[in-house]
């Protein structure tokens, strides 16, 4: 299994492989099924600002998928051309949430000619209640 005996005071865990998906859609709300995707790569050039909605899957809410004090992190990779767009709204189960952003300021634009990578860490604090941390990194 690759895990070292912890009785010797040492724990070594082999690399973790994250399940991802490649998407080509460039319009509408992005529905992220948290039960099956950890990384989503949008390979087509983005053509509009987008809303991202986190859910358990197409028929399960994130609220019922996660228990209180569960944490999940999802990354979204968005290909950009000279006209860059960004994720301008965040939802969980179709309801708006306001993430706390790394650096203290929410993005207001994308980054041209590269890949924008968003990372969202969602901590469920109670029924339908979440603390969401977001970051955006530009790769050019």
């Amino acid at each position: 299994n690759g895990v070292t005996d912890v009785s010797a005071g040492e724990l070594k865990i082999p690399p973790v492989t994250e399940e991802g998906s490649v998407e080509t859609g460039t319009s509408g709300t992005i529905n992220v099924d948290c039960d099956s995707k950890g990384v989503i790569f949008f390979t087509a050039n983005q053509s509009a600002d987008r809303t991202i909605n986190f859910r358990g899957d197409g028929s399960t809410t994130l609220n019922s998928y996660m228990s209180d004090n569960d944490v999940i992190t999802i990354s979204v990779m968005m290909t950009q051309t000279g006209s860059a767009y960004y994720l301008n709204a965040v939802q969980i189960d179709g309801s708006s949430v306001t993430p706390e952003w790394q650096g203290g300021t929410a993005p207001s634009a994308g980054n041209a000619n590269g890949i924008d990578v968003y990372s969202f860490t969602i901590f469920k604090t109670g029924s339908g209640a979440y603390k969401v941390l977001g970051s955006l990194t530009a790769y050019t």
Side-chain angles (χ1 to χ4, degrees):
N1 67 8
V3 177
T4 303
D5 178 10
V6 295
S7 64
E10 181 178 300
L11 174 64
K12 290 185 181 179
I13 300 172
V16 176
T17 301
E18 185 73 44
E19 187 169 342
S21 69
V22 174
E23 305 287 339
T24 57
T26 61
S27 63
T29 297
I30 299 169
N31 286 305
V32 175
D33 294 341
C34 294
D35 72 337
S36 63
K37 300 174 185 175
V39 178
I40 303 129
F41 183 19
F42 285 86
T43 57
N45 293 325
Q46 296 306 298
S47 60
D49 295 338
R50 308 279 301 274
T51 295
I52 189 164
N53 179 52
F54 297 100
R55 62 189 189 179
D57 62 30
S59 62
T60 307
T61 63
L62 190 62
N63 189 52
S64 63
Y65 176 72
M66 295 176 74
S67 297
D68 290 359
N69 301 321
D70 279 356
V71 181
I72 191 166
T73 298
I74 304 288
S75 293
V76 181
M77 303 164 58
M78 314 279 300
T79 302
Q80 305 284 356
T81 60
S83 297
Y85 298 95
Y86 73 110
L87 296 176
N88 63 350
V90 179
Q91 299 176 341
I92 296 178
D93 297 331
S95 296
S96 293
V97 296
T98 302
E100 294 184 29
W101 288 94
Q102 181 179 12
T105 304
S108 58
N111 299 283
N113 301 314
I115 298 172
D116 284 349
V117 179
Y118 292 85
S119 179
F120 294 96
T121 299
I122 302 168
F123 189 106
K124 183 176 177 188
T125 59
S127 181
Y130 306 90
K131 178 63 70 177
V132 180
L133 304 179
S135 66
L136 169 58
T137 304
Y139 292 86
T140 56

